[in-house]
Amino acid sequence: MQDEIRVDVRQESEQERERLVSLINSMADGVIALDKDARILVCNGAALNVLDVNISVNGQPLSRIVKLLSKTQEPIDVQELIIRTETATTHQDMLLQYEDGSTINLYMSIAPVHLGFGKDGQRGFVILLRDITKEKSLEEERDEFISVVSHELRTPVTIAEGNVSNALMIVGKKEGLDDVQAALKQTYDQIIFLTSMINDLSTLSRAERGKLNVEVEDINAHELLDELLENYTPQAAAKNLQLHTEVDPNLELLKSSKLYVREVLQNFITNSIKYTETGSVTIAAHMQPGGILFEVRDTGIGISKSDQRKVFDKFFRSEDARTRKNNGTGLGLYVTMKLARLLQAEISLESELNKGSVFKIFIPNLHPAAAAVDQPA
Ligand code: ADP
Protein backbone atom coordinates (compact mmCIF):
# COMPACT_ATOMS: atom_id res chain seq x y z
CA MET A 1 0.00 0.00 0.00
CA GLN A 2 2.72 2.42 1.06
CA ASP A 3 4.71 1.59 -2.08
CA GLU A 4 1.72 2.12 -4.36
CA ILE A 5 1.17 5.58 -2.97
CA ARG A 6 4.84 6.38 -3.46
CA VAL A 7 4.70 5.22 -7.09
CA ASP A 8 1.58 7.35 -7.64
CA VAL A 9 3.21 10.41 -6.18
CA ARG A 10 6.33 9.83 -8.25
CA GLN A 11 4.26 9.43 -11.42
CA GLU A 12 2.35 12.58 -10.64
CA SER A 13 5.44 14.63 -10.03
CA GLU A 14 7.00 13.17 -13.20
CA GLN A 15 3.92 14.25 -15.17
CA GLU A 16 4.02 17.65 -13.51
CA ARG A 17 7.65 18.04 -14.52
CA GLU A 18 6.88 17.02 -18.12
CA ARG A 19 4.04 19.54 -18.30
CA LEU A 20 6.34 22.23 -16.96
CA VAL A 21 9.14 21.37 -19.37
CA SER A 22 6.82 21.44 -22.39
CA LEU A 23 5.38 24.74 -21.16
CA ILE A 24 8.77 26.43 -20.91
CA ASN A 25 9.89 24.87 -24.18
CA SER A 26 6.98 26.55 -25.94
CA MET A 27 8.04 29.99 -24.70
CA ALA A 28 9.60 32.44 -27.13
CA ASP A 29 11.92 33.84 -24.45
CA GLY A 30 14.87 31.91 -23.13
CA VAL A 31 14.06 30.48 -19.69
CA ILE A 32 16.61 28.98 -17.32
CA ALA A 33 15.92 27.67 -13.83
CA LEU A 34 18.93 27.76 -11.53
CA ASP A 35 19.61 26.38 -8.08
CA LYS A 36 20.76 28.58 -5.20
CA ASP A 37 24.38 28.44 -6.43
CA ALA A 38 23.34 29.43 -9.97
CA ARG A 39 23.77 25.94 -11.43
CA ILE A 40 21.46 25.14 -14.32
CA LEU A 41 18.47 22.89 -13.48
CA VAL A 42 16.28 23.41 -16.54
CA CYS A 43 16.92 25.32 -19.74
CA ASN A 44 14.51 25.72 -22.68
CA GLY A 45 15.29 25.67 -26.40
CA ALA A 46 15.00 29.44 -26.79
CA ALA A 47 17.67 29.89 -24.09
CA LEU A 48 20.01 27.44 -25.85
CA ASN A 49 19.45 29.48 -29.03
CA VAL A 50 20.28 32.79 -27.38
CA LEU A 51 23.34 31.26 -25.70
CA ASP A 52 24.27 29.47 -28.94
CA VAL A 53 25.00 26.12 -27.27
CA ASN A 54 23.88 22.69 -28.38
CA ILE A 55 25.26 20.52 -25.61
CA SER A 56 23.44 19.52 -22.43
CA VAL A 57 23.96 22.28 -19.92
CA ASN A 58 22.06 20.82 -16.97
CA GLY A 59 24.05 20.76 -13.76
CA GLN A 60 26.65 23.23 -15.06
CA PRO A 61 27.34 26.54 -13.33
CA LEU A 62 25.80 29.32 -15.43
CA SER A 63 29.13 31.16 -15.54
CA ARG A 64 30.61 28.32 -17.61
CA ILE A 65 28.02 28.89 -20.33
CA VAL A 66 27.34 32.63 -20.12
CA LYS A 67 29.99 35.34 -20.56
CA LEU A 68 28.57 38.75 -19.80
CA LEU A 69 30.07 42.17 -20.44
CA SER A 70 28.92 45.59 -19.31
CA LYS A 71 28.08 48.12 -22.01
CA THR A 72 31.62 49.45 -21.56
CA GLN A 73 32.91 45.92 -22.27
CA GLU A 74 33.96 45.13 -18.67
CA PRO A 75 33.46 41.45 -17.74
CA ILE A 76 30.56 40.81 -15.33
CA ASP A 77 30.61 37.88 -12.92
CA VAL A 78 27.25 36.33 -13.79
CA GLN A 79 27.33 33.90 -10.87
CA GLU A 80 27.71 36.74 -8.41
CA LEU A 81 25.18 38.93 -10.22
CA ILE A 82 22.55 36.22 -9.82
CA ILE A 83 23.32 35.11 -6.29
CA ARG A 84 23.25 38.76 -5.14
CA THR A 85 19.77 39.28 -6.61
CA GLU A 86 17.17 39.57 -3.85
CA THR A 87 14.16 40.91 -5.72
CA ALA A 88 13.11 40.46 -9.35
CA THR A 89 15.43 42.62 -11.45
CA THR A 90 15.80 43.28 -15.17
CA HIS A 91 18.97 44.23 -17.02
CA GLN A 92 18.95 45.66 -20.52
CA ASP A 93 22.42 47.11 -20.73
CA MET A 94 24.54 43.98 -20.81
CA LEU A 95 26.28 42.22 -23.65
CA LEU A 96 26.49 38.47 -24.09
CA GLN A 97 29.82 37.38 -25.54
CA TYR A 98 30.13 34.27 -27.71
CA GLU A 99 33.22 32.09 -28.00
CA ASP A 100 34.32 33.78 -31.24
CA GLY A 101 34.33 37.13 -29.40
CA SER A 102 31.18 38.51 -31.08
CA THR A 103 28.50 40.04 -28.83
CA ILE A 104 24.76 40.64 -28.70
CA ASN A 105 22.71 42.99 -26.51
CA LEU A 106 20.98 40.93 -23.88
CA TYR A 107 17.73 41.45 -22.00
CA MET A 108 17.96 39.44 -18.80
CA SER A 109 15.46 39.29 -15.99
CA ILE A 110 16.41 37.53 -12.77
CA ALA A 111 13.77 36.39 -10.29
CA PRO A 112 14.66 34.68 -7.01
CA VAL A 113 12.12 31.87 -6.47
CA HIS A 114 11.37 28.81 -4.40
CA LEU A 115 11.80 25.83 -6.69
CA GLY A 116 9.51 22.95 -5.84
CA PHE A 117 6.51 23.18 -3.60
CA GLY A 118 5.73 24.20 -0.05
CA LYS A 119 8.11 25.49 2.53
CA ASP A 120 10.62 22.75 1.71
CA GLY A 121 11.04 24.22 -1.78
CA GLN A 122 14.64 25.06 -2.46
CA ARG A 123 15.73 28.61 -3.08
CA GLY A 124 16.78 29.25 -6.64
CA PHE A 125 16.39 31.63 -9.56
CA VAL A 126 14.50 31.80 -12.81
CA ILE A 127 16.07 33.89 -15.53
CA LEU A 128 14.57 35.09 -18.80
CA LEU A 129 16.82 35.89 -21.76
CA ARG A 130 16.19 37.73 -25.01
CA ASP A 131 18.40 39.03 -27.79
CA ILE A 132 17.60 42.77 -28.03
CA THR A 133 20.41 43.77 -30.41
CA LYS A 134 17.99 45.10 -33.02
CA GLU A 135 15.96 47.18 -30.54
CA LYS A 136 19.16 48.51 -28.98
CA SER A 137 20.66 49.67 -32.24
CA LEU A 138 17.40 51.43 -33.18
CA GLU A 139 17.36 53.06 -29.75
CA GLU A 140 20.97 54.17 -30.12
CA GLU A 141 20.30 55.64 -33.55
CA ARG A 142 17.29 57.50 -32.21
CA ASP A 143 19.27 58.89 -29.25
CA GLU A 144 22.08 59.93 -31.57
CA PHE A 145 19.54 61.63 -33.84
CA ILE A 146 17.91 63.52 -30.95
CA SER A 147 21.30 64.61 -29.65
CA VAL A 148 22.50 65.88 -33.06
CA VAL A 149 19.21 67.61 -33.90
CA SER A 150 18.92 69.40 -30.57
CA HIS A 151 22.55 70.51 -30.82
CA GLU A 152 22.12 71.80 -34.39
CA LEU A 153 18.89 73.65 -33.57
CA ARG A 154 20.36 75.57 -30.68
CA THR A 155 22.35 78.16 -32.66
CA PRO A 156 19.65 79.23 -35.17
CA VAL A 157 17.02 79.39 -32.44
CA THR A 158 19.25 81.51 -30.19
CA ILE A 159 19.95 83.94 -33.05
CA ALA A 160 16.25 84.14 -33.92
CA GLU A 161 15.36 84.73 -30.27
CA GLY A 162 17.89 87.58 -29.95
CA ASN A 163 16.76 89.28 -33.18
CA VAL A 164 13.04 89.00 -32.48
CA SER A 165 13.55 90.28 -28.97
CA ASN A 166 15.45 93.35 -30.34
CA ALA A 167 12.80 93.94 -32.99
CA LEU A 168 10.10 93.77 -30.30
CA MET A 169 11.93 96.44 -28.31
CA ILE A 170 12.34 98.76 -31.32
CA VAL A 171 8.73 98.32 -32.47
CA GLY A 172 7.53 98.88 -28.90
CA LYS A 173 8.96 102.41 -28.99
CA LYS A 174 7.12 103.39 -32.22
CA GLU A 175 3.48 104.43 -32.42
CA GLY A 176 0.98 102.69 -34.70
CA LEU A 177 2.82 99.39 -35.07
CA ASP A 178 0.54 97.37 -32.82
CA ASP A 179 -0.08 94.63 -35.40
CA VAL A 180 3.63 94.18 -36.03
CA GLN A 181 4.23 94.09 -32.30
CA ALA A 182 1.51 91.43 -31.78
CA ALA A 183 2.96 89.29 -34.61
CA LEU A 184 6.46 89.61 -33.23
CA LYS A 185 5.26 88.75 -29.71
CA GLN A 186 3.61 85.58 -31.03
CA THR A 187 6.80 84.64 -32.88
CA TYR A 188 8.83 85.33 -29.77
CA ASP A 189 6.61 83.08 -27.62
CA GLN A 190 6.94 80.24 -30.11
CA ILE A 191 10.74 80.64 -30.16
CA ILE A 192 10.79 80.42 -26.36
CA PHE A 193 8.72 77.25 -26.62
CA LEU A 194 11.22 75.81 -29.12
CA THR A 195 14.06 76.71 -26.75
CA SER A 196 12.43 74.79 -23.92
CA MET A 197 11.81 71.84 -26.22
CA ILE A 198 15.47 71.81 -27.28
CA ASN A 199 16.51 71.94 -23.63
CA ASP A 200 14.24 69.01 -22.77
CA LEU A 201 15.51 67.02 -25.75
CA SER A 202 19.14 67.55 -24.94
CA THR A 203 18.68 66.77 -21.21
CA LEU A 204 16.79 63.68 -22.32
CA SER A 205 19.48 62.46 -24.67
CA ARG A 206 22.21 63.09 -22.11
CA ALA A 207 20.18 61.28 -19.45
CA GLU A 208 19.54 58.32 -21.75
CA ARG A 209 23.18 58.05 -22.66
CA GLY A 210 24.10 58.08 -18.97
CA LYS A 211 26.15 61.22 -19.38
CA LEU A 212 24.70 63.22 -16.52
CA ASN A 213 26.91 63.56 -13.50
CA VAL A 214 25.51 64.04 -10.06
CA GLU A 215 27.54 66.57 -8.15
CA VAL A 216 26.55 66.35 -4.53
CA GLU A 217 26.51 69.57 -2.54
CA ASP A 218 24.80 70.95 0.57
CA ILE A 219 21.40 72.31 -0.39
CA ASN A 220 19.62 74.78 1.84
CA ALA A 221 16.00 73.91 1.01
CA HIS A 222 14.73 77.17 2.61
CA GLU A 223 16.84 79.19 0.20
CA LEU A 224 15.94 76.98 -2.75
CA LEU A 225 12.20 77.37 -2.14
CA ASP A 226 12.54 81.14 -1.63
CA GLU A 227 14.39 81.35 -4.93
CA LEU A 228 11.70 79.31 -6.72
CA LEU A 229 8.96 81.43 -5.14
CA GLU A 230 10.62 84.60 -6.38
CA ASN A 231 11.25 83.24 -9.89
CA TYR A 232 7.75 81.86 -10.45
CA THR A 233 5.60 84.50 -8.73
CA PRO A 234 5.34 86.66 -11.91
CA GLN A 235 4.25 83.65 -14.00
CA ALA A 236 1.61 82.66 -11.39
CA ALA A 237 0.46 86.27 -10.95
CA ALA A 238 -0.04 86.59 -14.72
CA LYS A 239 -2.74 83.88 -14.36
CA ASN A 240 -4.11 85.31 -11.10
CA LEU A 241 -2.84 82.32 -9.15
CA GLN A 242 -1.44 82.40 -5.62
CA LEU A 243 2.00 80.86 -5.25
CA HIS A 244 2.92 79.80 -1.68
CA THR A 245 5.70 77.96 0.05
CA GLU A 246 5.23 75.77 3.11
CA VAL A 247 8.50 74.81 4.73
CA ASP A 248 9.27 72.88 7.96
CA PRO A 249 11.21 75.28 10.19
CA ASN A 250 13.65 72.52 11.17
CA LEU A 251 14.87 71.53 7.69
CA GLU A 252 18.44 70.31 7.68
CA LEU A 253 20.86 70.73 4.79
CA LEU A 254 20.17 68.22 2.03
CA LYS A 255 23.07 66.43 0.33
CA SER A 256 22.15 66.06 -3.32
CA SER A 257 22.55 67.79 -6.69
CA LYS A 258 21.17 71.31 -6.45
CA LEU A 259 21.00 71.56 -10.23
CA TYR A 260 18.78 68.51 -10.66
CA VAL A 261 16.66 69.04 -7.53
CA ARG A 262 15.92 72.53 -8.81
CA GLU A 263 15.13 71.21 -12.29
CA VAL A 264 12.72 68.59 -10.96
CA LEU A 265 10.87 71.16 -8.82
CA GLN A 266 10.80 73.65 -11.69
CA ASN A 267 9.15 71.03 -13.90
CA PHE A 268 6.47 70.36 -11.28
CA ILE A 269 5.90 74.09 -10.65
CA THR A 270 5.66 75.10 -14.34
CA ASN A 271 3.21 72.26 -14.93
CA SER A 272 1.11 73.25 -11.91
CA ILE A 273 0.95 76.85 -13.11
CA LYS A 274 0.24 75.74 -16.69
CA TYR A 275 -2.54 73.32 -15.77
CA THR A 276 -4.28 75.42 -13.08
CA GLU A 277 -6.91 77.93 -14.09
CA THR A 278 -7.96 79.30 -10.69
CA GLY A 279 -6.69 78.97 -7.14
CA SER A 280 -3.19 78.30 -5.97
CA VAL A 281 0.07 76.40 -6.27
CA THR A 282 1.95 75.42 -3.10
CA ILE A 283 5.58 74.31 -2.92
CA ALA A 284 6.26 72.42 0.32
CA ALA A 285 9.31 70.86 1.95
CA HIS A 286 9.17 68.47 4.91
CA MET A 287 12.01 66.86 6.84
CA GLN A 288 11.94 63.05 6.75
CA PRO A 289 14.43 60.45 7.96
CA GLY A 290 17.29 60.37 5.45
CA GLY A 291 16.16 63.24 3.25
CA ILE A 292 13.52 65.83 2.38
CA LEU A 293 10.05 65.31 0.97
CA PHE A 294 9.14 68.05 -1.51
CA GLU A 295 5.58 68.56 -2.71
CA VAL A 296 4.07 70.72 -5.40
CA ARG A 297 0.28 70.99 -4.95
CA ASP A 298 -2.17 72.72 -7.20
CA THR A 299 -5.90 73.35 -7.46
CA GLY A 300 -5.81 72.73 -11.19
CA ILE A 301 -7.52 70.63 -13.83
CA GLY A 302 -6.30 67.36 -12.24
CA ILE A 303 -5.33 64.16 -13.99
CA SER A 304 -7.70 61.23 -14.62
CA LYS A 305 -6.85 57.84 -13.09
CA SER A 306 -5.95 56.34 -16.47
CA ASP A 307 -3.71 59.29 -17.40
CA GLN A 308 -1.94 59.17 -14.03
CA ARG A 309 -0.26 55.94 -15.15
CA LYS A 310 1.03 57.58 -18.33
CA VAL A 311 2.13 61.11 -17.40
CA PHE A 312 5.75 60.01 -16.90
CA ASP A 313 5.88 58.37 -20.35
CA LYS A 314 7.90 59.93 -23.13
CA PHE A 315 5.86 62.46 -25.20
CA PHE A 316 2.65 61.75 -23.27
CA ARG A 317 0.16 64.65 -23.11
CA SER A 318 -3.40 64.30 -21.88
CA GLU A 319 -6.13 64.51 -24.52
CA ASP A 320 -8.02 66.95 -22.24
CA ALA A 321 -8.70 70.16 -24.20
CA ARG A 322 -7.57 72.20 -21.18
CA THR A 323 -4.15 70.53 -21.46
CA ARG A 324 -3.96 70.98 -25.20
CA LYS A 325 -4.57 74.71 -25.08
CA ASN A 326 -1.15 75.04 -23.38
CA ASN A 327 2.08 74.45 -25.23
CA GLY A 328 3.97 71.36 -24.17
CA THR A 329 6.26 68.62 -25.41
CA GLY A 330 5.23 65.78 -23.11
CA LEU A 331 8.89 65.40 -22.17
CA GLY A 332 9.04 67.35 -18.89
CA LEU A 333 7.87 64.60 -16.56
CA TYR A 334 9.79 61.93 -18.46
CA VAL A 335 13.02 63.90 -17.98
CA THR A 336 11.99 64.50 -14.36
CA MET A 337 11.70 60.75 -13.80
CA LYS A 338 15.16 60.22 -15.33
CA LEU A 339 16.63 62.87 -13.04
CA ALA A 340 14.81 61.38 -10.04
CA ARG A 341 16.50 58.04 -10.75
CA LEU A 342 19.89 59.74 -10.83
CA LEU A 343 19.09 61.30 -7.47
CA GLN A 344 17.83 57.93 -6.14
CA ALA A 345 14.63 59.81 -5.39
CA GLU A 346 11.05 58.53 -5.30
CA ILE A 347 8.23 60.31 -7.06
CA SER A 348 4.54 59.87 -6.35
CA LEU A 349 1.42 61.51 -7.71
CA GLU A 350 -2.03 62.03 -6.26
CA SER A 351 -4.60 63.73 -8.39
CA GLU A 352 -8.32 64.14 -8.88
CA LEU A 353 -9.89 65.40 -12.06
CA ASN A 354 -11.15 68.99 -11.71
CA LYS A 355 -9.79 69.23 -8.15
CA GLY A 356 -6.02 69.34 -8.48
CA SER A 357 -2.78 67.41 -8.26
CA VAL A 358 0.02 66.77 -5.80
CA PHE A 359 3.43 65.77 -7.15
CA LYS A 360 5.70 64.49 -4.35
CA ILE A 361 9.38 63.68 -4.50
CA PHE A 362 11.42 62.28 -1.64
CA ILE A 363 15.06 63.26 -2.17
CA PRO A 364 17.49 61.24 -0.04
CA ASN A 365 20.83 62.48 1.21
CA LEU A 366 23.44 61.12 -1.16
CA HIS A 367 26.88 60.01 -0.26
CA PRO A 368 29.26 61.92 -2.58
CA ALA A 369 31.07 58.74 -3.69
CA ALA A 370 27.87 56.74 -4.28
CA ALA A 371 26.45 59.50 -6.41
CA ALA A 372 29.42 59.71 -8.73
CA VAL A 373 28.08 56.74 -10.69
CA ASP A 374 25.30 57.79 -13.01
CA GLN A 375 22.92 55.02 -13.92
CA PRO A 376 19.73 56.20 -15.50
CA ALA A 377 17.69 53.14 -16.41
P1 ADP B 1 4.00 68.88 -21.03
O1 ADP B 1 5.08 69.49 -21.84
O2 ADP B 1 2.83 68.43 -21.87
O3 ADP B 1 3.57 69.72 -19.87
P2 ADP B 1 4.93 66.92 -19.10
O4 ADP B 1 5.74 65.70 -19.33
O5 ADP B 1 5.49 67.94 -18.18
O6 ADP B 1 4.64 67.51 -20.53
O7 ADP B 1 3.52 66.47 -18.57
C1 ADP B 1 2.83 65.42 -19.24
C2 ADP B 1 1.33 65.58 -19.11
O8 ADP B 1 0.93 65.37 -17.75
C3 ADP B 1 0.80 66.96 -19.45
O9 ADP B 1 0.64 67.13 -20.82
C4 ADP B 1 -0.51 66.98 -18.69
O10 ADP B 1 -1.48 66.26 -19.43
C5 ADP B 1 -0.18 66.18 -17.43
N1 ADP B 1 0.18 67.03 -16.27
C6 ADP B 1 1.41 67.23 -15.77
N2 ADP B 1 1.38 68.02 -14.67
C7 ADP B 1 0.08 68.31 -14.47
C8 ADP B 1 -0.64 69.07 -13.47
N3 ADP B 1 -0.01 69.69 -12.47
N4 ADP B 1 -1.99 69.13 -13.58
C9 ADP B 1 -2.64 68.48 -14.57
N5 ADP B 1 -2.04 67.76 -15.55
C10 ADP B 1 -0.70 67.67 -15.48
Side-chain angles (χ1 to χ4, degrees):
M1 189 67 183
Q2 279 268 323
D3 278 353
E4 254 173 53
I5 293 174
R6 221 173 280 150
V7 170
D8 263 7
V9 169
R10 200 177 306 146
Q11 264 177 356
E12 254 178 44
S13 71
E14 196 52 41
Q15 279 172 355
E16 186 70 37
R17 188 186 151 80
E18 273 170 22
R19 269 204 296 272
L20 220 60
V21 168
S22 70
L23 178 78
I24 70 163
N25 269 330
S26 68
M27 287 179 67
D29 280 340
V31 182
I32 303 180
L34 301 166
D35 69 10
K36 65 177 191 348
D37 303 315
R39 279 177 186 275
I40 301 174
L41 297 173
V42 184
C43 180
N44 74 350
L48 293 176
N49 263 343
V50 174
L51 302 176
D52 196 25
V53 287
N54 38 26
I55 47 161
S56 163
V57 291
N58 288 4
Q60 302 218 33
L62 191 67
S63 54
R64 197 168 294 161
I65 313 290
V66 175
K67 298 271 173 284
L68 289 183
L69 302 176
S70 68
K71 62 181 174 185
T72 52
Q73 309 268 337
E74 306 289 331
I76 296 174
D77 184 338
V78 65
Q79 211 81 3
E80 202 192 308
L81 175 77
I82 288 175
I83 292 169
R84 264 197 292 122
T85 303
E86 284 178 1
T87 53
T89 317
T90 50
H91 300 270
Q92 308 207 39
D93 278 331
M94 295 188 307
L95 303 171
L96 171 71
Q97 188 173 42
Y98 293 122
E99 275 190 359
D100 64 359
S102 63
T103 56
I104 60 162
N105 289 94
L106 191 69
Y107 164 94
M108 182 170 178
S109 100
I110 309 171
V113 289
H114 278 275
L115 300 164
F117 296 104
K119 59 179 176 358
D120 301 333
Q122 239 199 20
R123 217 178 101 77
F125 303 88
V126 170
I127 63 174
L128 290 185
L129 300 176
R130 198 181 308 147
D131 177 357
I132 52 165
T133 311
K134 227 191 222 156
E135 289 94 318
K136 273 283 168 192
S137 72
L138 279 176
E139 205 175 289
E140 273 162 22
E141 269 176 37
R142 194 207 53 204
D143 288 349
E144 174 77 25
F145 176 77
I146 292 180
S147 153
V148 170
V149 167
S150 56
H151 184 78
E152 293 301 318
L153 285 176
R154 221 179 261 285
T155 313
V157 169
T158 311
I159 294 171
E161 195 244 323
N163 286 338
V164 174
S165 154
N166 279 341
L168 252 177
M169 229 163 58
I170 297 164
V171 167
K173 288 184 190 147
K174 305 233 159 127
E175 301 266 310
L177 289 176
D178 293 356
D179 288 354
V180 181
Q181 192 178 15
L184 280 176
K185 176 74 175 70
Q186 231 180 36
T187 312
Y188 185 75
D189 289 347
Q190 292 302 320
I191 294 175
I192 294 299
F193 167 63
L194 276 179
T195 311
S196 75
M197 186 160 182
I198 293 168
N199 284 341
D200 276 354
L201 283 174
S202 67
T203 314
L204 169 76
S205 86
R206 277 183 298 135
E208 292 201 314
R209 286 150 168 259
K211 282 192 184 156
L212 294 179
N213 278 324
V214 177
E215 273 177 33
V216 177
E217 54 189 307
D218 285 339
I219 305 172
N220 181 326
H222 279 285
E223 282 175 16
L224 179 63
L225 263 56
D226 282 347
E227 192 185 306
L228 290 167
L229 183 68
E230 195 180 322
N231 292 349
Y232 285 93
T233 296
Q235 218 171 305
K239 286 187 76 180
N240 277 328
L241 301 173
Q242 305 282 328
L243 185 64
H244 310 287
T245 54
E246 191 187 282
V247 186
D248 275 1
N250 59 344
L251 283 187
E252 288 162 17
L253 288 178
L254 176 67
K255 289 193 185 313
S256 188
S257 154
K258 191 167 178 182
L259 185 70
Y260 298 151
V261 172
R262 190 195 288 122
E263 188 159 339
V264 165
L265 294 176
Q266 278 173 344
N267 279 343
F268 289 156
I269 298 167
T270 43
N271 276 346
S272 281
I273 296 176
K274 232 170 26 175
Y275 302 117
T276 301
E277 317 212 302
T278 54
S280 62
V281 174
T282 307
I283 322 165
H286 303 289
M287 200 65 218
Q288 288 213 334
I292 293 181
L293 177 72
F294 292 93
E295 280 182 29
V296 177
R297 291 198 295 269
D298 64 53
T299 56
I301 62 174
I303 306 170
S304 69
K305 275 264 171 308
S306 63
D307 282 355
Q308 284 176 32
R309 269 181 264 122
K310 302 182 211 147
V311 289
F312 294 98
D313 291 353
K314 207 184 296 183
F315 298 117
F316 176 81
R317 303 202 70 213
S318 162
E319 294 296 334
D320 192 314
R322 294 169 301 175
T323 302
R324 295 299 170 124
K325 76 175 198 209
N326 291 284
N327 277 331
T329 57
L331 283 174
L333 289 181
Y334 178 75
V335 169
T336 302
M337 189 56 98
K338 290 266 171 194
L339 295 179
R341 286 207 186 120
L342 282 175
L343 298 177
Q344 298 169 29
E346 279 166 46
I347 294 186
S348 65
L349 161 64
E350 288 159 24
S351 184
E352 199 176 328
L353 211 52
N354 303 322
K355 291 244 168 83
S357 311
V358 189
F359 283 86
K360 295 186 188 181
I361 182 162
F362 171 72
I363 310 223
N365 285 309
L366 290 180
H367 193 271
V373 200
D374 48 342
Q375 288 178 319

